[in-house]
Amino acid sequence: PLSLSHATVAFVGDDATMGYTSPIAGTRFRFEATPTFGTLNFQNYLVDYRKYLYMKPFTFSVRGLHIGRYGRDAENERIGSIFLGDPSLIRGYGFDTFGPQDCTPTTGGSLGGSTCAEFDRLLGSKIATVNMEFRIPLFGARGLGLINTMALPPLEIAPFIDAGVAWTSTSSPVWEFSGNSTERTPVFSGGVASRLNAF
């Protein structure tokens, strides 16, 4: 059994201006610390910074994020790893993304002994991500949409690029760009997101 208690302190700022489907200008940030005590002792830290650059009617959005677990028991097997493939972090990498045919056999590297390096590089006690979007409002009121109409629900499309890396205290990131490496290399995804405000 585990007996744990924790407290959280955070410094938060938000001067973002909202559009119909997402923020269009301004800045958001959150710096957070959560020490945990008891059977296990470790500290969680979060740094989340977002910037929205408004180029009427478009918005360029960039986000930098670090989530890390530090301290004596930060990598204890009784607490789960942080998963970089969560859709709020890196889009396109789910738990079921990789089949046996996608996995590189590992005999060396920082992921030596892994059954699937492509999946295991998404797990760690620390992660860092960068997300970029170019937001294009298709429908909206004057100045907030390419097509000025309120007859249709506000709709935004956003080409995006996500990048991230996960690591542990004994397995550091390796800054090379390879999808079939047995090292902890960064992962990337790109695509187009859409947001609809139905109400």
Side-chain angles (χ1 to χ4, degrees):
L2 291 176
S3 176
L4 303 173
S5 27
H6 69 264
T8 298
V9 60
F11 178 59
V12 180
D14 187 346
D15 70 354
T17 300
M18 284 297 297
Y20 285 111
T21 56
S22 64
I24 59 172
T27 303
R28 287 178 165 175
F29 63 83
R30 183 179 187 90
F31 308 124
E32 180 180 292
T34 305
T36 300
F37 308 97
T39 310
L40 303 175
N41 291 283
F42 57 91
Q43 299 82 44
N44 283 317
Y45 295 102
L46 179 144
V47 177
D48 187 347
Y49 183 84
R50 308 174 192 208
K51 183 70 177 176
Y52 310 102
L53 304 172
Y54 187 48
M55 301 166 285
K56 186 175 180 178
F58 308 109
T59 297
F60 178 70
S61 166
V62 64
R63 174 194 190 192
L65 173 74
H66 170 64
I67 302 172
R69 191 180 297 135
Y70 297 87
R72 185 187 74 196
D73 299 310
E75 294 166 3
N76 190 285
E77 68 277 359
R78 289 182 284 178
I79 50 178
S81 297
I82 303 169
F83 180 55
L84 188 61
D86 185 280
S88 66
L89 301 173
I90 302 290
R91 290 165 275 198
Y93 291 88
F95 281 106
D96 57 353
T97 300
F98 300 102
Q101 71 280 2
D102 302 312
C103 297
T104 301
T106 56
T107 55
S110 58
L111 293 169
S114 166
T115 57
C116 185
E118 284 73 10
F119 179 78
D120 289 345
R121 74 168 50 103
L122 301 173
L123 301 170
S125 59
K126 302 157 189 68
I127 64 161
T129 67
V130 174
N131 313 92
M132 293 180 285
E133 286 187 352
F134 185 69
R135 298 176 177 174
I136 305 166
L138 293 183
F139 308 131
R142 185 176 302 277
L144 293 176
L146 292 176
I147 301 171
N148 297 322
T149 178
M150 292 308 293
L152 297 170
L155 173 66
E156 167 184 282
I157 61 171
F160 69 84
I161 296 174
D162 294 340
V165 65
W167 71 96
T168 68
S169 60
T170 58
S171 181
S172 299
V174 174
W175 302 108
E176 64 181 41
F177 304 104
S178 171
N180 300 108
S181 172
T182 58
E183 303 287 354
R184 286 192 171 274
T185 56
V187 297
F188 300 87
S189 70
V192 178
S194 62
R195 298 180 182 93
L196 175 71
N197 186 342
F199 302 103

